[in-house]
Amino acid sequence: RRYPTVEIRAETFNGSTHVPVPSDSAFLKALLFELRLVDDHIFVEHRDTCTRINHSSVYSVRTEGGDLWPVLAFQKSGLIYACLPLVEETLEPRPPVLTVSGLSQGLALLLGIVDYISPSRKNEAEMTAKISQLRNLLIQACPLGTPLNTNIRSLNSSFDDIQEMPTDENQPAWRSNAYKGKPQVNVCITEKVKCMQYDKRDVVDMWQVYGAVNCKCDIEGSAPNVTLSLNLPINGPPLQDIVVHHCVTSVDPAMLMSSSAEPLDDSVYNGPYKFPFIPPSDSFNLCYYTSQVPVPPILGCYQLIEEGSQLKITVNLKLHESIKNSFEYCEARIPFFNRGPIAQLEYKVSYGQLDLSREKSLLVWIIGQKFPKSLEVSLTGTVSFGTTGKEHPTDYVCTGNTAYVKLYFRIPDFTLTGCYVDQHSIQIFAPGKPKITASGELISSDYYIWNSKAPAPMVYKSLLD
């Protein structure tokens, strides 16, 4: 899709240095060439020189009229998604990529199109139908060249649907359609815990919790008012760095002042956290937050020692007694970088089972859905390797004995902060008694336990230094 109004604005910004957008066929040919999808066997200096290594999806595409920049393009499931964002300043000299707001807008729009098309990628007829509807959808999502709604799936595919939509001056722009039916509200608190454990006296372990409150409100009315409260247990760690969705109509300023960059004190706001809002039609994240919890959910120790041609490994994991011992899944993955395939493995596990990956470079310790009554599990073993091949993982950071165990787990109906939604506190100013469902989950994210017998790649100095 082309936007003449945007092209006129680009020409205004750049004057005589403006590079016109060529025809669709000429642009496609130039783009395929730049992406090395045609003539990739031919060395072309401006494209293939070592001094021009592209680390992003932003390209400069050479056309007859000059170099078009910035062209945002990437491949996904056999399709190429591309757009040419407007740079609202002169292009000579080229501004830094991070300062071009049109790039983030264009990327959001392309990702919305990917989200709309991708589920149909295995059904050619369905994909063709969806692509044929894209023109109508883009008229709504990006009517004059500025993305207004990047959630393409939420839009109506025909103009008839648009014309029949009732117009209500009180209906906010983010409520794209009116719901008819029994009112219901679904709320899910998802907390992700990141962790770096070193098991060393001179290095401080680090962990952080990131939360998101997702809501789906099926309520009749053009602008229904909903109030939802998040609560913490007594002496629970306060929520910090709170960011709210634009549909929230008002919020206590004290709630937004708590920052993880500052030390906690007695005056910090610890709830209840009340959010009055007019919900969008689709599911949305009402707010995001962080929290400084006192302990990580699983404490670990990893020791890897090289003895001749063998590696001796020991892994100990302990579930903290305050954590719900009921997992959807829990496993520890132990990769071996810059080595050949595992040729010999002798091991002993106190709990769960140990599997070897197909490429024989990764041990997967499946702990399962529960820790034993002791809440402690251990793994000891001896590993030897064959000849190194190209297919085995390499890493420039994890060399020698610098290595890690990475944990993957999910605990349903549990949050590490103890944050919960009081269903009785949800107020809905709309007819009918709504059905309210509230849930929570804790998921691991970048949960690393580093080998305590080797230097870790990132060292945090002790707070006592």
Side-chain angles (χ1 to χ4, degrees):
R1 180 164 178 81
R2 304 173 72 105
Y3 295 95
T5 52
V6 179
E7 293 185 44
I8 291 171
R9 289 180 65 195
E11 190 173 357
T12 303
F13 279 117
N14 293 285
S16 60
T17 62
H18 173 68
V19 178
V21 181
S23 66
D24 290 354
S25 58
F27 175 78
L28 177 59
K29 184 178 179 181
L31 178 63
L32 293 175
F33 183 80
E34 180 63 31
L35 296 177
R36 295 182 176 85
L37 296 176
V38 294
D39 296 335
D40 60 328
H41 60 286
I42 303 172
F43 177 80
V44 180
E45 186 170 353
H46 81 269
R47 182 190 69 178
D48 302 319
T49 176
C50 292
T51 59
R52 190 185 168 203
I53 299 174
N54 207 21
H55 296 287
S56 70
S57 297
V58 181
Y59 297 90
S60 176
V61 175
R62 182 158 294 187
T63 67
E64 288 187 5
D67 290 352
L68 276 178
W69 184 90
V71 176
L72 182 61
F74 57 86
Q75 298 180 65
K76 180 78 172 177
S77 303
L79 295 176
I80 300 171
Y81 297 83
C83 70
L84 178 59
L86 172 68
V87 180
E88 296 185 285
E89 57 184 298
T90 180
L91 290 175
E92 291 189 4
R94 282 185 185 173
V97 168
L98 291 176
T99 65
V100 182
S101 60
L103 279 170
S104 56
Q105 294 176 334
L107 180 60
L109 183 62
L110 290 181
L111 291 177
I113 295 173
V114 171
D115 186 49
Y116 167 71
I117 288 179
S118 286
S120 309
R121 65 183 185 275
K122 293 181 180 179
N123 187 324
E124 190 172 340
E126 188 177 333
M127 180 182 285
T128 302
K130 281 196 170 184
I131 291 175
S132 67
Q133 293 170 355
L134 257 184
R135 181 175 178 81
N136 288 355
L137 295 173
L138 282 173
I139 290 174
Q140 302 168 62
C142 192
L144 294 173
T146 301
L148 301 180
N149 186 351
T150 57
N151 186 1
I152 308 297
R153 284 199 297 175
S154 70
L155 301 173
N156 297 293
S157 60
S158 71
F159 288 116
D160 294 336
D161 295 337
I162 301 169
Q163 292 162 0
E164 290 173 6
M165 281 179 63
T167 56
D168 188 328
E169 61 182 15
N170 296 319
Q171 181 169 328
W174 57 85
R175 282 187 69 81
S176 56
N177 53 60
Y179 173 77
K180 295 291 183 183
K182 186 177 180 181
Q184 52 187 358
V185 175
N186 292 303
V187 185
C188 179
I189 301 175
T190 298
E191 289 188 351
K192 294 185 177 181
V193 55
K194 291 189 175 185
C195 192
M196 290 277 179
Q197 295 182 39
Y198 303 98
D199 190 35
K200 292 186 176 184
R201 289 185 178 180
D202 58 337
V203 185
V204 179
D205 293 345
M206 307 292 289
W207 59 91
Q208 180 77 63
V209 179
Y210 302 85
V213 181
N214 184 268
C215 299
K216 179 71 166 70
C217 302
D218 294 325
I219 304 170
E220 291 188 359
S222 58
N225 286 287
V226 180
T227 299
L228 180 147
S229 292
L230 298 180
N231 296 273
L232 293 173
I234 297 173
N235 298 326
L239 306 185
Q240 297 176 294
D241 306 321
I242 298 174
V243 178
V244 300
H245 191 274
H246 59 73
C247 72
V248 175
T249 52
S250 64
V251 70
D252 189 329
M255 187 192 304
L256 305 178
M257 295 300 290
S258 179
S259 169
S260 58
E262 300 173 2
L264 293 171
D265 57 48
D266 295 335
S267 64
V268 72
Y269 191 91
N270 58 3
Y273 303 87
K274 188 172 288 189
F275 301 91
F277 59 95
I278 300 173
S281 306
D282 298 295
S283 65
F284 68 103
N285 286 327
L286 177 67
C287 69
Y288 300 91
Y289 60 85
T290 67
S291 183
Q292 300 179 40
V293 294
V295 291
I298 298 176
L299 286 166
C301 171
Y302 178 36
Q303 294 185 349
L304 180 151
I305 302 173
E306 195 161 0
E307 294 185 355
S309 61
Q310 292 184 331
L311 293 181
K312 286 193 172 182
I313 61 169
T314 303
V315 184
N316 294 307
L317 301 175
K318 182 178 181 180
L319 181 69
H320 194 270
E321 58 268 16
S322 66
I323 307 302
K324 180 182 177 183
N325 190 9
S326 178
F327 293 78
E328 181 181 307
Y329 58 85
C330 181
E331 65 181 46
R333 298 185 184 181
I334 311 168
F336 296 97
F337 299 106
N338 312 306
R339 305 175 191 272
I342 294 174
Q344 190 173 357
L345 171 65
E346 295 179 5
Y347 69 90
K348 180 181 178 181
V349 290
S350 67
Y351 194 80
Q353 68 181 62
L354 189 69
D355 292 337
L356 179 61
S357 66
R358 183 180 298 176
E359 67 277 7
K360 296 185 178 181
S361 61
L362 175 72
L363 296 181
V364 181
W365 181 14
I366 301 173
I367 298 164
Q369 296 180 322
K370 268 186 178 294
F371 274 66
K373 285 186 178 180
S374 65
L375 302 182
E376 295 185 38
V377 294
S378 64
L379 160 68
T380 56
T382 304
V383 186
S384 58
F385 302 88
T387 307
T388 304
K390 290 182 179 179
E391 68 277 10
H392 295 285
T394 59
D395 194 290
Y396 295 108
V397 174
C398 297
T399 56
N401 289 352
T402 298
Y404 61 76
V405 173
K406 189 173 182 181
L407 298 188
Y408 296 81
F409 58 82
R410 177 181 181 269
I411 307 177
D413 302 317
F414 178 81
T415 57
L416 193 55
T417 60
C419 181
Y420 66 95
V421 175
D422 183 358
Q423 298 187 27
H424 301 292
S425 71
I426 296 180
Q427 298 176 309
I428 300 174
F429 303 95
K433 186 177 181 181
K435 177 185 177 183
I436 298 172
T437 306
S439 61
E441 61 180 356
L442 176 67
I443 302 173
S444 64
S445 173
D446 296 332
Y447 205 106
Y448 292 94
I449 300 168
W450 290 92
N451 177 23
S452 61
K453 297 295 185 182
M458 293 181 66
V459 176
Y460 294 91
K461 288 188 176 181
S462 171
L463 298 176
L464 300 176
D465 286 351

